[in-house]
Structure formats: structure tokens, C-alpha cells
């Protein structure tokens, strides 16, 4: 008798599963703005042992304006809790990226012997924060970082679900983890930096989380420390989108930092 109940339950479960899978959400158009990953770097000079510094930076960034086709690479998030969510089929999906923007950031770094730990809070199309850990020597430094990125996005989509049409165009906040590494070289008042960071946006359609391509950005900058308090920098930006076509696009950046 127990075997019959168990068999009936399994059959009902399979039926519900198959029935649910018959409903499909067809998305005819999906657009979302996406930003380059944030930049993080070290002290840009040899920092004295057992000392701390505060730095405030403002930058102007320009990246080539482009629409990145992600139609083949976007899907529902691979989450077992979403076993009964309807599948989504995309006909046309893309990132809207690039343009002129401003970014600002405050950093704190503390050095004990050669070991450095710190953090930062900044703005780049949204609020981001991070923790930093690395090493600082006489002419070079390196480290890693991990943080959260609350990006303000414009999102637009239209389509149909089970015979009913839907259309939405508005604003949202995409909350993501971002991580990366940096390395720097400096000689007297000149310095050069490489910073690479990466994150995945987290948009939703009709309440369903999407798994969209990862965005990785590399910043290669050089600069000059005018005095104890003031620093200038310029450089190039390369952004890579993790799609089947391997999309990428360039940019430039420049800014001023004030040290306390």
C-alpha cells in the first residue's frame, strides 16, 4: 500500500514538472544599461610602515558607446529553487554600454610592515564599496580586492507569456559582487598602475532572475604625484564582455586625487 502511495506521488510530481515546462515566456526585446567594472589600486608610492592614508579621487571616463548583443548568452539563473519557473526564450537581448561619465571615490589604506589592508567607497553609475589586501614595497605594490556594486540601470523589455503580452521600461538597481587584482610600479613621483576587476549584473524579468554575461574591465594608468597632497593620472580602459563572440571595447580615463 505504501508503495502505491509513493508511486502515485512520484507520478504526480513528474506530471506537474512536465506541465510547468510547457509554459514559455517569449522575450521579443531586452535592453539594459551596464557599466564598466570599478577601478581599484594601491597607494601609488612607497607608504611608510605602520602608517595610514586617506585619498579622495575624482575621474572623468569615456568609453566607446556600443550595444553588445547577448541574445545567445542570457538565460535564467541556474538555481534549483527555480525548478518550476517558466523557461525564457530571447529573440533580441543586448547591453547598452559606454559614453561619458564621472566617477568618485574615497580610499583608506593602512600599512603594517609591508602588508597593506584597507577599503573604499565610491560612485560609478551607482554606489560600490570594497575591501583591499596587498603588499607595498620600495618601488612596487600588488594586491586583491572584493566588494559590492549597487549599479543603477535602465531596463527595457517586452514579450508575451501564456498568450498575455507584457511591456516594461524603467529603472532598477543591480546588486553584484565584484572582485579583482591590482599591481603598481613607482619611481620618485611617477607611477604606473594595472587594475583588473570583474562582476556580473543581476537584472530581473517579470520577477525572474537572469544569468547574464560577466563584465571585466582593465585599467592601465600612469600619473605624477605633484606634492604630498595632489596627484594627477591618465590612462586607457579595456572592457571585455563574456559572450560567445568575445566582445570588447576601449576607453580613456583621467583624474585628480587628494591625499590627507
Amino acid at each position: 500500500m505504501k508503495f502505491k502511495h509513493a508511486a502515485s506521488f512520484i507520478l504526480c510530481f513528474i506530471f506537474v514538472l512536465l506541465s510547468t515546462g510547457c509554459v514559455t515566456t517569449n522575450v521579443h526585446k531586452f535592453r539594459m544599461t551596464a557599466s564598466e567594472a570599478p577601478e581599484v589600486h594601491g597607494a601609488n608610492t612607497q607608504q611608510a610602515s605602520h602608517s595610514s592614508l586617506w585619498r579622495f579621487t575624482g575621474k572623468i571616463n569615456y568609453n566607446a558607446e556600443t550595444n553588445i548583443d547577448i541574445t545567445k548568452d542570457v538565460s535564467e539563473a541556474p538555481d534549483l529553487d527555480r525548478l518550476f519557473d517558466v523557461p525564457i526564450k530571447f529573440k533580441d537581448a543586448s547591453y547598452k554600454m559606454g559614453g561619458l561619465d564621472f566617477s568618485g571615490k574615497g580610499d583608506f589604506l593602512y600599512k603594517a610592515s609591508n602588508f597593506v589592508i584597507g577599503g573604499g567607497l565610491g560612485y560609478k553609475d551607482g554606489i560600490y564599496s570594497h575591501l583591499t589586501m596587498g603588499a607595498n614595497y620600495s618601488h612596487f605594490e600588488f594586491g586583491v580586492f572584493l566588494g559590492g556594486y549597487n549599479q543603477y540601470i535602465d531596463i527595457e523589455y517586452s514579450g508575451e507569456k501564456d498568450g498575455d503580452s507584457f511591456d516594461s521600461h524603467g529603472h532598477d538597481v543591480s546588486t553584484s559582487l565584484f572582485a579583482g587584482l591590482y599591481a603598481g610600479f613607482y619611481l620618485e613621483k611617477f607611477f604606473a598602475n594595472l587594475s583588473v576587476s570583474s562582476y556580473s549584473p543581476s537584472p530581473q524579468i517579470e520577477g525572474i532572475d537572469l544569468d547574464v554575461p560577466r563584465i571585466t574591465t582593465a585599467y592601465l594608468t600612469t600619473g605624477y604625484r605633484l606634492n604630498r597632497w595632489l596627484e594627477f593620472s591618465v590612462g586607457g580602459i579595456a572592457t571585455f564582455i563574456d559572450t560567445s563572440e568575445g566582445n570588447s571595447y576601449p576607453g580613456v580615463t583621467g583624474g585628480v586625487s587628494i591625499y590627507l
Side-chain angles (χ1 to χ4, degrees), residues 157-232:
Y157 58 86
S158 61
E160 57 184 28
K161 175 182 176 182
D162 199 19
D164 296 325
S165 298
F166 58 81
D167 193 335
S168 178
H169 188 188
H171 308 284
D172 202 353
V173 177
S174 169
T175 301
S176 312
L177 287 175
F178 80 97
L181 51 86
Y182 69 86
F185 171 80
Y186 33 84
L187 184 62
E188 296 182 351
K189 294 184 177 183
F190 293 92
F191 63 87
N193 278 317
L194 173 64
S195 172
V196 180
S197 60
S198 182
Y199 78 100
S200 291
S202 57
Q204 288 188 342
I205 283 187
E206 300 297 292
I208 299 175
D209 295 325
L210 300 181
D211 183 19
V212 294
R214 177 169 289 275
I215 298 171
T216 301
T217 304
Y219 297 84
L220 182 60
T221 57
T222 184
Y224 181 77
R225 191 78 169 266
L226 186 64
N227 52 43
R228 177 182 173 185
W229 301 279
L230 193 60
E231 172 185 285
F232 299 93

